[in-house]
Amino acid sequence: MFKSMYNWIDERLDITPMWRDVADHEVPEHVNPAHHFSAFVYCFGGLTFFITVIQILSGMFLTMYYTPDIINAYASVDYLQHKVAFGVIVRGMHHWGASLVIVMMFLHTLRVFFTGSYKAPREMNWVVGMAIFGVMLGLGFTGYLLPWDNKAYFATQVGIKIAASVPFVGGYIQTLLQGGEVVGAVTLTRFFAIHVFFLPAVLLALLAGHFIMIRKQGISGPL
């Protein structure tokens, strides 16, 4: 059945050349763990992307039950946690994945730095990678408030005050994030919108650029 469906699509869109171009792409020997044990450090980027995909899929599931207002936010999370089948597992994956993706991205960044992979002709990819790192931190920060419990509320207050201390633009950042005089209903709505719509759109665009440059420039070699 799958083969028939593939052939039906291939007859109309001619996807086989595109698929073969991806599947037959050669991988350098130095990133093959079967030949070099040190090649495992070149897997950090792929693992980071894998965790990112899990975060996106689990986040899509969570939004089916989450209510982004201060009256129902905590109750919706509690309902998901205790009433929805496998809800506690999916939320746990999203919760711990948010921390794990930062750890893996940090390890990937260290590998790129210490192997000199940020040098010509890959300077732009390094800049894009740093932008992805920043977006990931933003996703972690904006997602932390969404359960709307005491820890999330006061931690977000601290984070916004730190952002407000940025010279010249701190006040504008605080207004953008907080949306009012105090952390409240507007803040939660803005954090939800930034977390679910704005930052993921930027992330997907940056990831596309990141992978296109990797494909054109190839995987960097060891020093």
Side-chain angles (χ1 to χ4, degrees), residues 8-220:
W8 186 87
I9 297 174
D10 188 45
E11 288 176 1
R12 288 151 181 81
L13 301 179
D14 194 25
I15 61 175
T16 296
M18 294 184 290
W19 164 247
R20 297 314 314 174
D21 181 57
V22 174
D24 295 338
H25 185 69
E26 293 187 4
V27 177
E29 184 178 344
H30 66 273
V31 300
N32 187 346
H35 296 163
H36 301 281
F37 179 77
S38 60
F40 282 106
V41 300
Y42 286 88
C43 298
F44 292 152
L47 290 172
T48 303
F49 177 69
F50 176 72
I51 299 170
T52 301
V53 172
I54 292 177
Q55 289 298 97
I56 294 172
L57 295 177
S58 60
M60 292 169 65
F61 177 84
L62 296 180
T63 56
M64 295 174 65
Y65 295 93
Y66 181 73
T67 306
D69 66 69
I70 60 175
I71 304 299
N72 300 302
Y74 181 80
S76 66
V77 174
D78 184 72
Y79 175 80
L80 171 70
Q81 188 89 2
H82 298 102
K83 302 295 184 180
V84 178
F86 306 108
V88 64
I89 296 176
V90 178
R91 184 176 179 236
M93 292 170 61
H94 198 76
H95 173 78
W96 293 108
S99 299
L100 185 58
V101 73
I102 298 299
V103 173
M104 293 308 304
M105 187 168 291
F106 180 69
L107 293 175
H108 178 55
T109 303
L110 288 180
R111 197 280 301 168
V112 171
F113 179 78
F114 284 112
T115 57
S117 302
Y118 60 90
K119 298 178 181 179
R122 299 179 175 86
E123 307 98 316
M124 282 302 300
N125 216 2
W126 170 262
V127 173
V128 171
M130 290 295 99
I132 293 174
F133 206 153
V135 170
M136 284 295 189
L137 292 175
L139 285 167
F141 177 63
T142 53
Y144 199 82
L145 178 66
L146 300 186
W148 197 249
D149 54 13
N150 284 333
K151 183 170 67 171
Y153 178 83
F154 290 108
T156 300
Q157 277 193 328
V158 173
I160 291 178
K161 288 179 180 178
I162 293 174
S165 65
V166 175
F168 305 112
V169 296
Y172 297 102
I173 296 175
Q174 181 179 16
T175 301
L176 173 66
L177 295 176
Q178 193 163 284
E181 297 297 324
V182 297
V183 175
V186 178
T187 312
L188 180 63
T189 303
R190 290 196 176 190
F191 271 53
F192 176 77
I194 293 171
H195 185 77
V196 174
F197 298 110
F198 292 96
L199 289 182
V202 176
L203 176 64
L204 292 177
L206 290 173
L207 284 174
H210 195 59
F211 289 134
I212 289 172
M213 283 188 278
I214 291 175
R215 186 60 188 271
K216 286 185 175 295
Q217 299 161 353
I219 300 176
S220 61

